[in-house]
Each structure stands twice: as C-alpha cells, then as structure tokens.
Amino acid sequence: RMRLDGAWQVRAVACEALVDIATTGDRDAVDVLSRATEHGFFEVRLAAVTALGRIASTGDLEAAMTLVRAVCDDDWRVREAAVEALAKLHVREASCTAEEG
C-alpha cells in the first residue's frame, strides 16, 4: 500500500511504522523497505534505510546489498544511516564499488 500513496511524508511515516508492526526478518517488510530506499525524496530513503536496519535479520544478504547501495546515496544522512544499519547486520565493509567487477 505504501507505494500507492504519492505523498512522500506518508511514505516516510509508513517506513517508520513498519518497525513497530513487522517482526525481525519479515521478508515482505524488507522488500517494501528495499524498494523505498530508491524513492526520490531523501526523507523517504532515510526512513527506509533506518527501518531496514532494524527489521532485517543479521546476515540478511539481500538487505545488506540494498544498504551497500544506500552507502552511495546523494544525501549524507542516508549514507550515514546506511553505514549504521550495516553495522547492525554485522556487515563490516561496504563501498560504492562493491557490486562492480
């Protein structure tokens, strides 16, 4: 449902609300948040990255790759949140070139 609402404020709050209603490792929540990390407004990306760090299970490689991409975000707040979220998932290294090769 989050993707149906055009207001970025609603999407950001929806990301934050998922933390309260989803369980750790909830695949649907992780997928929704992963998509939200690509939103046009940094506030939505920031909320999604922060929530992803709280919902994803330790060692969740799909979530980790989403967060690695977020480390390269245009906004410093999103980058900082992505690094913090990666630390919660116990991912030690991330770079903007991690997917190249």
Side-chain angles (χ1 to χ4, degrees):
R1 293 193 182 234
M2 182 170 52
R3 68 179 161 213
L4 299 178
D5 194 293
W8 68 264
Q9 297 96 334
V10 173
R11 290 182 183 216
V13 170
C15 290
E16 295 166 5
L18 274 176
V19 173
D20 295 327
I21 61 174
T23 58
T24 300
D26 182 321
R27 192 81 250 146
D28 290 333
V30 169
D31 291 344
V32 166
L33 292 169
S34 293
R35 287 192 304 273
T37 65
E38 299 175 8
H39 194 275
F41 284 89
F42 89 86
E43 294 91 343
V44 176
R45 297 192 310 273
L46 177 59
V49 164
T50 302
L52 192 55
R54 294 179 64 192
I55 290 176
S57 298
T58 300
D60 182 330
L61 295 180
E62 184 178 324
M65 288 310 301
T66 297
L67 293 168
V68 167
R69 286 189 294 274
V71 168
C72 305
D73 194 272
D74 292 337
D75 189 272
W76 67 269
R77 292 160 285 205
V78 176
R79 294 191 303 266
E80 182 178 67
V83 170
E84 291 173 5
L86 284 166
K88 290 178 184 176
L89 296 182
H90 300 287
V91 176
R92 293 184 147 190
E93 295 183 26
S95 80
C96 293
T97 58
E99 294 182 308
E100 295 177 5

